[in-house]
């Protein structure tokens, strides 16, 4: 199993770079960031600094969207970073949440997600692609390679992921829900004639290593509110019979409003509707042994990467605990002699 960390690009930018360096030092493989240009600093600028300051980690957004950037510009950024630093980027993409909603916009259509995925991937992999009736290609790209991973919850988005994504990003760590959603993606891939085993499955959620349960719950309750935004969209479109696990549609019934000014923050005051049970199911909390136990379950259902949302007051210690007590227990072990 690979491990990632998800950071917000709060100022100063060097704080984000410093956390990325610590993540690499503790054995993490990926450094992801939010991509919401009004709420936080521009991530692609910071990626360049992270890549220059590290040796191995892969960087990318969790997640970008087709609406707030021209697709060819996005592809150019990835190809440029790859040419500079050696293919250490990944593109996470979805319909869009905070980045579009703070502009009074709406999430992109799945058609746009599919088309953006195609354009970004083809250009960043040095291949020609048709855009607006014209065939385009980067004449300067020589070595760039890029995968595009799609974030999804709803039935049609899961189908789109299976048909078009190099990877699948699920932003919650409930084992039962993850198993159901991974199976939807795998089935869609198989039905489309693709190899489901070629898709990388990434689960992302807050992880807090500690023993004070009440404090950990309050520090991570924001995540249930964030997930609730996406589930509410699905229920509004498909109704409560959308085919989602019932626990997802049940807990958002108490949802009334959401303040994007506190999006992704531990002090978000619009998440009182999220019960403790949901926080426990969606996140990974507790001792290193508790983390390992849940991660083993996720690994068993086909999760290739767990990415830690690090939006709480225990950042450095969580990185240290993962590096010293958790990640080594989830790696494949090789002996020097046998």
């Amino acid at each position: 199993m690979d491990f990632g960390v998800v950071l917000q690009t709060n100022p100063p930018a060097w704080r984000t770079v410093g956390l990325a360096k610590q993540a690499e030092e503790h054995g993490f493989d990926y450094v992801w960031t939010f991509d919401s240009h009004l709420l936080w600093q521009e991530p692609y600028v910071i990626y360049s600094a992270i890549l220059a300051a590290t040796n191995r980690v892969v960087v990318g957004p969790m997640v970008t969207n087709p609406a707030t950037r021209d697709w060819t510009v996005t592809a150019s950024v990835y190809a440029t970073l790859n040419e500079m630093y050696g293919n250490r980027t990944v593109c996470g993409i979805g319909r869009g949440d905070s980045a579009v909603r703070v502009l009074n916009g709406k999430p992109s259509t799945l058609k746009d997600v599919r088309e953006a995925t195609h354009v970004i991937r083809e250009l960043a992999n040095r291949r020609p692609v048709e855009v607006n009736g014209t065939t385009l290609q980067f004449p300067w790209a020589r070595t760039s390679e890029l995968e595009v991973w799609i974030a999804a919850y709803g039935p049609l988005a899961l189908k789109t992921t299976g048909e078009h994504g190099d990877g699948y990003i699920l932003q919650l760590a409930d084992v039962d829900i993850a198993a159901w959603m991974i199976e939807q993606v795998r089935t869609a891939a198989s039905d489309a004639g693709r190899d489901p085993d070629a898709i990388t499955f990434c689960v992302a959620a807050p992880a807090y290593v500690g023993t004070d349960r009440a404090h950990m719950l309050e520090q991570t309750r924001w995540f249930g509110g964030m997930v609730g935004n996406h589930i509410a969209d699905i229920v509004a479109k498909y109704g409560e019979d959308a085919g989602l696990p019932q626990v997802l549609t049940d807990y958002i019934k108490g949802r009334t409003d959401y303040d994007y000014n506190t999006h992704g923050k531990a002090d978000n005051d619009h998440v009182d509707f999220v019960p403790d049970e949901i926080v426990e199911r969606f996140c990974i909390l507790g001792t290193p042994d508790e983390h390992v136990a849940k991660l083993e379950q996720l690994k068993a259902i086909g999760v290739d990467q767990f990415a830690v949302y690090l939006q709480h007051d225990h950042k450095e210690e969580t990185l240290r605990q993962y590096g010293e007590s958790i990640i080594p227990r989830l790696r494949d072990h090789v002996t020097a002699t046998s």
Side-chain angles (χ1 to χ4, degrees):
M1 178 181 275
D2 286 339
F3 288 85
V5 61
V6 187
L7 306 173
Q8 286 174 344
T9 53
N10 292 308
W14 291 112
R15 165 73 164 148
T16 306
V17 176
L19 287 170
K21 290 172 65 177
Q22 288 184 54
E24 181 176 73
E25 290 164 2
H26 287 300
F28 285 81
D29 308 285
Y30 286 74
V31 173
W32 303 88
T33 73
F34 285 55
D35 177 14
S36 196
H37 58 287
L38 284 172
L39 298 180
W40 300 288
Q41 293 181 324
E42 171 57 37
Y44 290 103
V45 176
I46 297 173
Y47 294 159
S48 191
I50 291 173
L51 290 167
T54 57
N55 300 295
R56 184 181 51 80
V57 290
V58 175
V59 303
M62 190 174 282
V63 293
T64 193
N65 66 83
T68 55
R69 305 176 194 275
D70 182 275
W71 306 342
T72 63
V73 174
T74 299
S76 181
V77 171
Y78 284 112
T80 301
L81 291 172
N82 286 337
E83 295 288 326
M84 290 176 67
Y85 299 108
N87 293 327
R88 292 169 55 202
T89 68
V90 61
C91 177
I93 194 168
R95 296 180 59 220
D97 185 24
S98 63
V100 294
R101 294 184 197 269
V102 295
L103 299 171
N104 276 335
K106 295 181 178 179
S108 301
T109 64
L110 287 173
K111 178 176 182 291
D112 281 345
V113 172
R114 289 193 298 269
E115 293 179 356
T117 295
H118 178 66
V119 169
I120 293 168
R121 180 166 51 210
E122 294 306 290
L123 285 174
N125 281 285
R126 315 179 315 281
R127 295 189 290 262
V129 67
E130 186 172 313
V131 179
N132 297 329
T134 300
T135 300
L136 305 176
Q137 189 171 5
F138 296 140
W140 43 266
R142 295 291 181 266
T143 60
S144 175
E145 296 179 1
L146 180 74
E147 290 190 350
V148 182
W149 299 7
I150 301 176
Y153 293 104
L156 291 182
L158 294 168
K159 183 173 183 288
T160 294
T161 303
E163 293 171 344
H164 301 278
D166 297 306
Y168 169 47
I169 296 171
L170 172 60
Q171 290 161 305
L172 57 82
D174 181 277
V175 177
D176 294 335
I177 295 172
W180 183 85
M181 291 194 170
I182 287 172
E183 185 56 33
Q184 304 306 304
V185 173
R186 291 181 62 87
T187 298
S190 181
D191 290 346
R194 304 182 69 207
D195 179 6
D197 292 334
I199 298 174
T200 302
F201 292 95
C202 173
V203 161
Y208 197 119
V209 183
T211 57
D212 185 342
R213 214 76 186 179
H215 182 72
M216 290 188 290
L217 287 166
E218 290 313 307
Q219 284 289 303
T220 54
R221 196 175 306 277
W222 66 268
F223 185 68
M226 186 186 82
V227 173
N229 295 330
H230 300 288
I231 303 305
D233 278 349
I234 296 167
V235 171
K237 182 174 182 178
Y238 299 102
E240 292 188 13
D241 298 324
L244 294 177
Q246 188 172 346
V247 64
L248 286 177
T249 55
D250 280 351
Y251 94 91
I252 65 163
K253 291 177 180 178
R255 181 179 181 271
T256 56
D257 198 5
Y258 191 83
D259 183 3
Y260 278 93
N261 289 306
T262 54
H263 181 64
K265 297 181 179 180
D267 62 353
N268 190 319
D269 57 0
H270 286 70
V271 295
D272 290 343
F273 71 94
V274 182
D276 290 353
E277 177 193 1
I278 287 293
V279 182
E280 292 274 9
R281 292 184 65 160
F282 284 11
C283 306
I284 305 184
L285 312 176
T287 65
D289 285 346
E290 290 178 285
H291 284 250
V292 170
K294 191 165 185 179
L295 289 167
E296 290 280 15
Q297 290 179 291
L298 290 169
K299 185 178 180 180
I301 63 170
V303 174
D304 300 298
Q305 179 187 154
F306 176 64
V308 177
Y309 271 96
L310 209 62
Q311 286 65 56
H312 52 60
D313 62 0
H314 213 47
K315 295 179 177 63
E316 285 85 357
E317 181 62 12
T318 295
L319 291 175
R320 186 188 70 81
Q321 290 274 11
Y322 260 73
E324 295 181 5
S325 304
I326 298 171
I327 291 177
R329 295 166 65 180
L330 275 298
R331 298 290 198 199
D332 293 331
H333 294 286
V334 177
T335 58
T337 61
S338 59

